[in-house]
Amino acid sequence: MSLTLDPLFSIAGQNIFVAGGAGGLGWPIAQELSKRGANVAIGDLDSTKAAACAETLSNNGGQALAIGLNVTQRASCEAACQHVAKSWGRLDGLVNASGIYRVGPALNFNDQDWQNSIDINLTGSFQLARAAGALMVPQKSGSIITITSVSSSVANPNYAAYAASKAGAAHVTRVLALEWAAAGVRVNAIGPAVTPTPLAAQIIDDPATRSNALAKIPMQRFGTPDDLLAAVVFLLAPGAQFLTGQILYVDGGRTIS
Ligand SMILES: NC(=O)c1ccc[n+]([C@@H]2O[C@H](COP(=O)([O-])OP(=O)(O)OC[C@H]3O[C@@H](n4cnc5c(N)ncnc54)[C@H](O)[C@@H]3O)[C@@H](O)[C@H]2O)c1
């Protein structure tokens, strides 16, 4: 059956905003959504990269937009979501794949790293979801996905800031799901395990950190961006219409070990 016709999994014609869409996870996600016939807006702090990504999608026959975005700014989140809705008539989906990773021992953890982790990963994901929800609640439909992390659930030494931001983002997911359930707006999260991207380079590139991280994954490999694609498509698609408030860990068993 065609990727665009399956009634359970089709996202063809949906208008979807991928925040952090120029990043290591966001870009493969954006490409998959576009391949499946969605109109895809790429939002990123790196607006040059976002423009290049949108151009690639357009060159491959997709409908695409590039939007400069700073999730720490409420006005930027609102302007970005409104830009998508004005351009294409409505906003059907948000995938928030923006974020940063800062780790270090708590006793000398850098204050600015703490603040940036909270501002981008927690406050940013809330502000973006709120901006999308402001459009989706009145239209009585929509699907919001935040890429959280296994760190929403597990504790690792040195992870106070990252884990706090990701656990917070996961819990905000549940709260928003509850607030917007009656309006038909679904809010979920996907929690990946370590996946080689620019963000995870400091884990992957250091042999000791790498083998320590790998040893914690029961399936004995790191994730790949492709591992997340089916989960993202499913959560956006009609087949998931009764699924809300969930944190779906796509992690090779990391959160059960
Ligand atoms: N790669 C992993 O191992 C891994 C594992 C679990 C969870 N995650 C989460 O997945 C998400 C994406 O990670 P990634 O690996 O693709 O990282 P990445 O660094 O490759 O991409 C992140 C993207 O977010 C953008 N960004 C950063 N700050 C922003 C801001 N203030 N406003 C808008 N955009 C901003 C960056 O420009 C970049 O394009 C993050 O939330 C990360 O915590 C990643």
Side-chain angles (χ1 to χ4, degrees):
M1 186 180 283
S2 151
L3 287 180
T4 55
L5 292 181
D6 185 323
L8 290 180
F9 298 104
S10 176
I11 54 164
Q14 284 198 25
N15 304 324
I16 301 171
F17 183 32
V18 183
L25 298 182
W27 175 226
I29 289 170
Q31 290 176 94
E32 183 66 23
L33 302 181
S34 183
K35 194 172 92 185
R36 288 169 178 269
N39 306 319
V40 177
I42 308 263
D44 206 285
L45 191 61
D46 187 335
S47 50
T48 309
K49 245 178 155 180
C53 290
E55 196 182 338
T56 302
L57 296 183
S58 301
N59 290 343
N60 291 334
Q63 287 288 324
L65 279 176
I67 304 175
L69 171 73
N70 185 345
V71 297
T72 67
Q73 306 295 320
R74 179 177 183 170
S76 175
C77 295
E78 290 173 349
C81 290
Q82 284 162 13
H83 185 143
V84 181
K86 278 199 188 104
S87 303
W88 291 331
R90 50 188 280 128
L91 177 66
D92 300 300
L94 165 68
V95 181
N96 181 9
S98 67
I100 60 166
Y101 170 77
R102 301 286 184 270
V103 291
L107 289 179
N108 54 16
F109 196 72
N110 179 283
D111 289 348
Q112 196 58 54
D113 282 343
W114 173 274
Q115 198 56 51
N116 290 343
S117 301
I118 300 300
D119 287 351
I120 296 171
N121 296 350
L122 176 56
T123 309
S125 63
F126 169 67
Q127 292 190 140
L128 195 54
R130 175 173 58 183
L135 298 168
M136 292 172 172
V137 168
Q139 81 190 9
K140 296 207 169 298
S141 70
S143 173
I144 295 172
I145 303 169
T146 300
I147 307 297
T148 57
S149 168
V150 294
S151 289
S152 300
S153 171
V154 300
N156 281 306
N158 301 334
Y159 271 56
Y162 189 72
S165 72
K166 292 297 184 177
H171 214 53
V172 166
T173 296
R174 296 184 191 98
V175 172
L176 298 184
L178 206 47
E179 287 193 31
W180 299 340
V185 177
R186 299 180 297 103
V187 190
N188 293 288
I190 294 174
V194 176
T195 306
T197 67
L199 177 139
Q202 54 185 300
I203 303 173
I204 303 289
D205 294 351
D206 176 67
T209 316
R210 180 191 172 94
S211 64
N212 182 38
L214 194 53
K216 291 178 176 167
I217 303 178
M219 293 188 92
Q220 301 182 342
R221 68 168 175 85
F222 292 120
T224 70
D226 284 0
D227 288 324
L228 305 180
L229 300 179
V232 173
V233 170
F234 171 55
L235 291 175
L236 290 167
Q241 63 189 334
F242 202 49
L243 201 167
T244 197
Q246 300 305 308
I247 317 302
L248 182 53
Y249 290 103
V250 182
D251 66 352
R254 172 68 181 93
T255 47
I256 50 167
S257 65

